């Protein structure tokens, strides 16, 4: 249900605690008392794990309160700050500080939030704090950590976008704009919000058709790769038509939306440009790939998010190429064999694969005699750039060293090798990708920057150097850990971790 890649190359994964026991035993005979509001029980199993990508192994973690449908963000020092959840967890802030010796676990702050947060969205900010926006019946936002005497702040836009008895504006799509303001999309429209002053800077046109794109009519969205300090494009894809949620509750499963809307949010006269996907998709995940392309994966062809409300799994991912001409941007990919429905997630790994896991469209853990049984597996989607035939063209970063610290407004020399040399006419660029918090078809704080580079110089046999300019401010790249890649044509290197501060 929730996944976050950390700079240790480990992924923190967790699910709700009130379903009953999991299949993973807590170490040392540890047991915890859990409650679902009507009953309590002793639980000796784990509902969170740390997944080690390199060894393909897991380590049980301990969550004390219910993390169901919560949110999170990684802050500047690499710590995962996770917020909210259900009942016992709805006011809780949980802290996970990555470590290399397997000693780290969750710390919980029981009243860390001013309001209950369930189905909220988090975004890391340039000042290092996290903003937490929305949640069921919460038409407000707050920050963590808070300034003295700070509580929460009313946001009328969340009332305006709430469809009575349906909502359609939970887990809003939130992106940090290059000017430091927040682009917030909920239901079928968006605002640019100055969170410092608490004012709406501008309102955007309703997405054509007016159909909802947020939970439970769940689409997905991404801030497309940033190539300069001005232009910022947002892509919103899929979702469910008006009335689909009510129809699904009655047993009629409406076909998902097959459109994406794209908007240049800093244009003087912004407008949505609509594009058609190869198929309709609800509950899909959008993942930015290191070469600047966009992966759309998981989800269903009909129904909505919610227990038992999705039908017709979509097994084929789609690649979206944002720099192609309209009409030639989508490309179908090879299918998986595992339906990834409600409560599945996807995120980018350092080696360029995409980790995919989960699927639990049932109120309880049902493994048989149901449509789409709960799926506890992890799998990796390998984009075409990982084809073994491309090995001779794949860059390998030599320097800087992994986990190097870099500053803003600097020139950074990146040395790399390409076994077969640079192909004729191929472009060399460097990209940096922020690791995102993935849940409910949205990757929070997801961000990719294309670093401006000078001419590539030859250093030695099949070894090269490119000098790039680092981001100019935290508005473009908030302080923290990023994955740095060198991209040769369409083929990225493995990433290395860098820390910008």
């Amino acid at each position: 249900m929730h996944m976050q890649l950390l700079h240790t190359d480990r992924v923190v994964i967790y699910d709700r605690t009130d379903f009953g026991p999991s299949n993973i035993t807590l170490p040392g005979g540890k047991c915890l008392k859990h409650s679902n509001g009507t009953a309590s029980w002793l639980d000796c199993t784990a509902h969170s794990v740390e997944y080690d990508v390199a060894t393909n192994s897991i380590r049980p973690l301990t969550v004390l309160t219910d993390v169901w449908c919560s949110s999170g963000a990684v802050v500047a020092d690499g710590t995962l700050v996770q917020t909210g959840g259900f009942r016992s967890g709805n006011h809780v802030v949980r802290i996970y500080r990555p470590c290399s010796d397997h000693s780290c676990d969750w710390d919980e702050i029981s009243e860390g939030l001013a309001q209950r947060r369930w189905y909220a969205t988090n975004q890391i900010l340039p000042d290092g704090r996290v903003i937490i926006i929305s949640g069921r019946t919460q038409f407000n936002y707050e920050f963590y950590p808070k300034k003295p005497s700070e509580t929460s702040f009313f946001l009328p836009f969340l009332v305006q976008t709430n469809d009575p008895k349906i909502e359609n504006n939970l887990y809003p799509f939130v992106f940090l704009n290059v000017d430091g303001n927040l682009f917030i999309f909920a239901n079928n429209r968006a605002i640019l919000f100055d969170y410092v002053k608490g004012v709406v800077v501008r309102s955007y046109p309703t997405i054509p058709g007016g159909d909802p794109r947020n939970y439970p009519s769940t689409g997905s969205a991404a801030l497309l790769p940033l190539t300069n300090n001005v232009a910022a494009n947002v892509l919103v894809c899929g979702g469910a038509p008006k009335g689909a949620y009510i129809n699904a509750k009655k047993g009629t499963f409406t076909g998902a939306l097959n459109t994406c809307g794209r908007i240049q949010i800093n244009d003087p006269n912004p407008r949505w440009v609509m594009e058609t996907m190869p198929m309709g998709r609800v509950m899909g995940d959008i993942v930015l790939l290191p070469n600047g392309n966009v992966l759309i994966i998981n989800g269903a062809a009909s129904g909505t998010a919610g227990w038992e409300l999705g039908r017709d799994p979509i097994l084929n991912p789609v690649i979206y190429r944002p720099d192609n001409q309209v009409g030639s941007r989508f490309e179908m990919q090879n299918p998986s064999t595992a339906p990834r429905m409600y409560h599945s997630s996807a995120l980018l790994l350092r080696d360029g694969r995409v980790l995919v896991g989960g699927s639990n469209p049932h109120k309880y853990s049902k493994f048989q005699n149901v449509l789409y049984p709960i799926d506890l597996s992890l799998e990796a989607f390998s984009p075409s750039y990982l084809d073994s035939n491309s090995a001779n063209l794949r860059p390998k970063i030599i320097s800087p060293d992994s986990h190097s610290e870099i500053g803003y407004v600097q020139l950074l020399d990146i040395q790399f090798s390409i076994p077969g040399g640079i192909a004729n006419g191929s472009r060399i660029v460097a990209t940096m990708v922020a690791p995102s918090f993935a849940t409910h078809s949205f990757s929070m704080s997801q961000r990719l920057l294309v670093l401006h580079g000078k001419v590539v110089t030859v250093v030695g046999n099949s070894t090269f150097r490119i000098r790039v300019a680092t981001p100019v401010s935290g508005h473009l790249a908030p302080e923290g850990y990023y994955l740095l890649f060198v991209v040769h044509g369409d083929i990225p290197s493995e990433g290395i971790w860098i820390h910008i501060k």
Side-chain angles (χ1 to χ4, degrees):
M1 194 184 297
H2 314 80
M3 296 200 296
Q4 172 72 61
L5 176 66
L6 303 172
H7 68 273
T8 53
D9 285 332
R10 293 170 185 159
V11 180
V12 170
I13 304 172
Y14 60 90
D15 203 335
R16 62 187 296 181
T17 62
D18 62 346
F19 262 11
S22 76
N23 291 338
I24 302 169
T25 303
L26 286 169
K30 184 190 298 184
C31 298
L32 300 170
K33 188 175 182 179
H34 285 304
S35 170
N36 62 7
T38 58
S40 61
W41 61 93
L42 202 62
D43 189 349
C44 306
T45 62
H47 299 276
S48 178
V49 297
E50 182 186 68
Y51 171 62
D52 188 321
V53 177
T55 62
N56 193 34
S57 61
I58 61 168
R59 181 173 68 90
L61 302 175
T62 306
V63 285
L64 304 178
T65 50
D66 199 347
V67 290
W68 180 26
C69 299
S70 55
S71 49
V74 171
V75 295
D77 68 355
T79 296
L80 171 57
V81 174
Q82 186 276 331
T83 55
F86 189 54
R87 289 192 175 127
S88 65
N90 60 24
H91 281 75
V92 176
V93 173
R94 302 170 192 86
I95 306 296
Y96 188 83
R97 298 175 179 87
C99 63
S100 58
D101 62 0
H102 294 173
S103 65
C104 41
D105 209 334
W106 290 104
D107 292 323
E108 302 203 7
I109 304 168
S110 60
E111 293 296 326
L113 298 172
Q115 305 292 342
R116 73 174 194 146
R117 299 293 169 189
W118 193 33
Y119 299 88
T121 296
N122 293 17
Q123 169 66 48
I124 188 69
L125 298 174
D127 66 1
R129 297 200 296 167
V130 177
I131 189 169
I132 306 114
I133 300 174
S134 184
R136 180 154 282 166
T137 70
Q138 297 300 325
F139 308 113
N140 53 65
Y141 61 96
E142 62 183 284
F143 300 92
Y144 183 84
K146 290 176 173 53
K147 295 178 180 177
S149 73
E150 196 175 67
T151 56
S152 61
F153 303 88
F154 179 53
L155 183 56
F157 175 71
L158 298 174
V159 177
Q160 298 158 8
T161 54
N162 181 64
D163 290 343
K165 300 183 179 180
I166 302 173
E167 295 165 316
N168 279 333
N169 69 344
L170 298 181
Y171 281 122
F173 305 141
V174 179
F175 303 105
L176 177 66
N177 191 14
V178 296
D179 64 1
N181 294 315
L182 295 176
F183 178 89
I184 304 175
F185 183 101
N187 196 321
N188 56 16
R189 53 197 183 274
I191 57 172
L192 190 64
F193 184 64
D194 182 338
Y195 63 88
V196 176
K197 297 179 180 178
V199 297
V200 175
V201 177
R202 71 192 308 181
S203 297
Y204 295 92
T206 299
I207 196 167
D211 287 308
R213 308 281 178 155
N214 293 89
Y215 184 91
S217 300
T218 302
S220 191
L223 177 67
L224 293 178
L226 298 169
T227 58
N228 58 49
N229 301 340
V230 179
N233 289 273
V234 168
L235 182 73
V236 179
C237 290
K242 294 175 184 175
Y245 178 72
I246 298 299
N247 289 343
K249 296 280 278 188
K250 296 177 179 178
T252 299
F253 302 97
T254 308
L257 298 173
N258 67 349
T259 55
C260 294
R262 178 169 165 170
I263 190 168
Q264 210 287 72
I265 64 177
N266 295 323
D267 192 274
N269 297 294
R271 64 183 185 89
W272 291 97
V273 176
M274 302 305 291
E275 303 179 59
T276 303
M277 296 188 289
M279 73 286 281
R281 190 183 300 252
V282 62
M283 297 181 288
D285 286 272
I286 291 182
V287 179
L288 298 179
L289 301 178
N291 62 3
N293 290 333
V294 178
L295 175 68
I296 306 172
I297 194 168
N298 298 342
S302 58
T304 69
W307 303 130
E308 323 287 345
L309 300 184
R311 294 292 186 275
D312 308 313
I314 297 180
L315 301 178
N316 290 85
V318 169
I319 292 289
Y320 175 84
R321 301 180 185 275
D323 294 335
N324 283 11
Q325 293 297 313
V326 174
S328 62
R329 289 175 173 163
F330 294 99
E331 179 183 59
M332 191 92 77
Q333 304 295 291
N334 291 329
S336 169
T337 58
R340 300 292 182 177
M341 304 287 280
Y342 187 43
H343 291 153
S344 58
S345 294
L347 54 75
L348 178 68
L349 297 175
R350 186 172 62 84
D351 60 13
R353 295 178 300 162
V354 174
L355 184 68
V356 179
S359 184
N360 182 22
H362 309 289
K363 190 170 184 179
Y364 297 103
S365 298
K366 297 178 180 178
F367 293 90
Q368 55 189 0
N369 302 322
V370 290
L371 278 174
Y372 326 123
I374 184 172
D375 192 328
L376 303 181
S377 69
L378 292 173
E379 62 182 328
F381 172 77
S382 295
S384 59
Y385 55 63
L386 291 174
D387 191 302
S388 58
N389 292 329
S390 301
N392 213 37
L393 301 174
R394 185 164 297 117
K396 180 180 180 181
I397 296 176
I398 299 170
S399 66
D401 293 331
S402 183
H403 290 79
S404 292
E405 290 194 354
I406 65 173
Y408 293 102
V409 200
Q410 291 184 353
L411 293 177
L412 175 67
D413 285 333
I414 305 172
Q415 189 167 317
F416 60 96
S417 62
I418 301 177
I422 298 176
N424 288 336
S426 291
R427 188 175 66 139
I428 299 288
V429 299
T431 60
M432 52 185 280
V433 182
S436 55
F437 180 92
T439 190
H440 288 77
S441 300
F442 184 52
S443 292
M444 302 177 191
S445 299
Q446 183 171 220
R447 199 171 194 81
L448 185 151
L449 288 84
V450 179
L451 303 180
H452 294 287
K454 307 295 182 182
V455 175
V456 175
T457 57
V458 178
V459 176
N461 185 29
S462 301
T463 306
F464 309 90
R465 180 189 299 116
I466 184 171
R467 176 168 289 181
V468 299
T470 62
V472 298
S473 75
H475 291 171
L476 276 177
E479 182 179 336
Y481 284 93
Y482 291 78
L483 285 169
L484 177 69
F485 297 89
V486 171
V487 184
H488 175 210
D490 222 23
I491 302 171
S493 65
E494 276 201 355
I496 65 166
W497 289 103
I498 57 171
H499 188 212
I500 187 166
K501 59 185 301 186

